[in-house]
Amino acid sequence: HRDLHSFPTRLSSDLRILLTLIATTATMSAQATNGYFRLGYGANSIAMGGTGTALAQDGLAGAVNPATIFGVKQDFTLALSVFNPQRGFEVTGAAPSDATSSQDFPLTNGKVQSDNEYFLIPSFAYKTELNDDLALSVSVYGNGGMNTQYSESVFYAGKTGVDLSQVFLNTSVAYKVSNNTQIGVAPILALQSFEAKGVGSFASFSSSPSKVSDNGQDTVFGYGARIGIAHQLNENIHLGASYQTKIDFERFEKYEGLFAEQGDMDVPSTYNLGVAFDNNDFTIALDYQVINYSQTDAVANPLMPNIGKAQMGMADYRLGADNGAGFGWNDMEIIKLGGALKRNNGDVIRGGVSYGEQPIDSSEVLFNILAPGVQEWHFTAGYEFGDIDSRYSVALSYSPSKSVKGKNQLYQSNEQFIEIEMEQYELTFAAAF
């Protein structure tokens, strides 16, 4: 893995200040939907189940496929989402008093809910056409994140939780290869922040025990790119594909004893395929997305047998080492389907549905108390109104309660079970002008 410790010196101070100012607002969010990726990046896209690979739905189209930005009608887009995740866990089975081995790590029985249930997610974009064949869009948005805050001392080391936030600055450039085909590229500069509390009990398993928990917020910078292509088979049928590289970040030095590879927490690559049918009366769009969580060891490495090997003194399996235990997440495949009905007065009614099998195995529930990204289904709806120059949108997304239950892998002498659960609501308002 390429060491990025010299990256801050190469990134201009003005740009770092800009990203930090953006993140001051944009990281007030817990954005776990598909793992920790957002369902969609604009109100109209969200209202159609997160679709947008083949056909731009709003000004944030470059976040999904930079080749589609020619379809954005307005210059400026401003959006604000109110996100409401309800997450928690329940411990059942053998109690801590039943432990018979000093190697056991049982949790206190009972049900616990996370605090801080409301978060704001702002985003904005600007689009312009430089000439008939070249378009430019600059957008800023929260890519994803995860937040839990438990008032209880879950792991016996104080109030417990994590706060992970990611904000992207995406500059999309699209070029018309022909009347029917466009290609696009979007360099991405990104900021990521993280804080962990109450997990100091695992310091004895760490390669850097003082860099596991309660070290305050750590903020790092990274970069990557998204490329895309859009093609119109005819005036009604649109095809699209895009690929986002892994976003290469600096290491979290304050938590190099927690995350695998000495605090390395890159955003995994993802790719999208899409098809859409569009005419004057309605639009139907279908997207397929893959998120490659297996590329990031801090997310993908399993709890067991890795932490067991750390207990046995194998240095390369200690927390923070290359094979240190992570959250055990699998790659995700997601199907998104959306539709839009265009009214005679110019208003648009939208709806959609999305499904992706959640990435957490039942054997990984212990660490995922901190990151219960178990959502699978999303149901969405929205309404757009206004005139040709100014458009206003509202979108609602609902993800029903989903849970995963499994054994506490660190309670070897008895059977104890942990069930993690989450339910989500999101309301988005947007203005384009």
Side-chain angles (χ1 to χ4, degrees):
H1 180 86
R2 186 169 58 259
D3 191 347
L4 291 178
H5 284 293
S6 62
F7 180 69
T9 62
R10 302 197 302 271
L11 186 65
S12 74
S13 60
D14 289 343
L15 186 53
R16 288 175 66 91
I17 291 171
L18 173 62
L19 282 174
T20 303
L21 288 173
I22 291 168
T24 300
T25 302
T27 57
M28 294 191 302
S29 56
Q31 302 158 29
T33 50
N34 290 319
Y36 64 73
F37 275 58
R38 294 198 67 189
L39 172 67
Y41 299 97
N44 295 340
S45 174
I46 292 172
M48 291 180 62
T51 57
T53 305
L55 188 65
Q57 303 299 331
D58 49 41
L60 286 153
V64 179
N65 186 354
T68 66
I69 63 173
F70 281 101
V72 178
K73 301 297 191 296
Q74 285 74 36
D75 293 338
F76 294 93
T77 301
L78 305 175
L80 179 66
S81 295
V82 182
F83 186 57
N84 171 222
Q86 301 174 11
R87 57 255 189 259
F89 68 95
E90 184 175 13
V91 179
T92 57
S97 58
D98 298 326
T100 60
S101 169
S102 60
Q103 299 296 315
D104 286 339
F105 191 79
L107 303 185
T108 302
N109 292 60
K111 191 169 186 177
V112 181
Q113 290 294 120
S114 178
D115 300 329
N116 291 352
E117 292 188 348
Y118 291 93
F119 302 85
L120 299 177
I121 310 173
S123 56
F124 59 90
Y126 168 73
K127 178 256 182 177
T128 186
E129 295 189 15
L130 304 177
N131 55 47
D132 291 342
D133 297 324
L134 197 63
L136 171 71
S137 174
V138 179
S139 52
V140 178
Y141 50 90
N143 176 73
M146 182 69 69
N147 175 285
T148 48
Q149 182 172 320
Y150 300 110
S151 56
E152 287 80 359
S153 180
V154 177
F155 300 124
Y156 313 109
K159 292 182 179 181
T160 306
V162 297
D163 186 16
L164 172 70
S165 299
Q166 300 163 351
V167 60
F168 282 15
L169 173 60
N170 173 310
T171 303
S172 297
V173 179
Y175 175 70
K176 288 185 178 179
V177 178
S178 68
N179 290 334
N180 295 325
T181 304
Q182 302 84 41
I183 57 174
V185 60
I188 295 172
L189 294 174
L191 179 145
Q192 184 172 226
S193 66
F194 178 77
E195 182 176 9
K197 295 180 180 179
V199 295
S201 300
F202 297 103
S204 60
F205 304 134
S206 175
S207 58
S208 183
S210 65
K211 301 292 183 67
V212 172
S213 182
D214 298 278
N215 290 324
Q217 189 178 75
D218 201 359
T219 301
V220 295
F221 292 84
Y223 64 92
R226 181 179 283 274
I227 58 174
I229 185 170
H231 178 72
Q232 295 77 54
L233 287 178
N234 54 47
E235 64 178 359
N236 299 125
I237 300 177
H238 302 252
L239 305 175
S242 69
Y243 172 76
Q244 182 175 287
T245 68
K246 181 169 70 173
I247 307 300
D248 211 352
F249 277 96
E250 304 169 86
R251 291 176 170 85
F252 284 121
E253 293 185 359
K254 292 182 180 180
Y255 295 96
E256 64 184 14
L258 177 62
F259 288 134
E261 297 186 301
Q262 299 79 52
D264 196 22
M265 187 69 169
D266 296 333
V267 173
S269 68
T270 179
Y271 64 85
N272 295 50
L273 302 173
V275 59
F277 179 90
D278 178 66
N279 64 21
N280 293 329
D281 299 317
F282 63 90
T283 303
I284 298 176
L286 177 67
D287 277 20
Y288 169 74
Q289 180 184 24
V290 173
I291 304 173
N292 296 308
Y293 287 118
S294 59
Q295 292 181 344
T296 302
D297 288 345
V299 175
N301 283 358
L303 175 68
M304 297 292 284
N306 299 44
I307 205 164
K309 293 180 178 180
Q311 288 177 305
M312 295 168 59
M314 299 176 69
D316 199 39
Y317 287 87
R318 289 184 173 274
L319 291 176
D322 288 352
N323 295 315
F327 295 97
W329 283 21
N330 303 309
D331 294 344
M332 284 193 74
E333 298 182 49
I334 304 142
I335 298 291
K336 305 176 182 183
L337 177 65
L341 181 63
K342 304 169 187 178
R343 304 183 65 189
N344 292 334
N345 63 358
D347 295 358
V348 183
I349 302 170
R350 291 182 169 88
V353 62
S354 169
Y355 175 78
E357 185 177 1
Q358 62 84 25
I360 300 171
D361 292 333
S362 61
S363 59
E364 303 296 334
V365 290
L366 178 64
F367 270 9
N368 280 289
I369 287 173
L370 299 171
V374 295
Q375 300 312 114
E376 293 188 339
W377 287 98
H378 294 81
F379 302 96
T380 64
Y383 195 82
E384 180 187 2
F385 61 96
D387 56 35
I388 191 170
D389 295 320
S390 301
R391 305 292 293 176
Y392 305 92
S393 301
V394 60
L396 176 65
S397 172
Y398 170 62
S399 183
S401 178
K402 171 66 180 177
S403 66
V404 175
K405 185 176 182 179
K407 291 182 180 180
N408 179 353
Q409 297 290 315
L410 296 186
Y411 197 174
Q412 299 290 327
S413 65
N414 277 291
E415 284 197 338
Q416 185 179 70
F417 298 92
I418 301 168
E419 184 173 13
I420 56 177
E421 183 179 13
M422 186 182 290
E423 182 179 11
Q424 296 175 354
Y425 301 84
E426 182 174 347
L427 182 63
T428 302
F429 303 93
F433 50 92

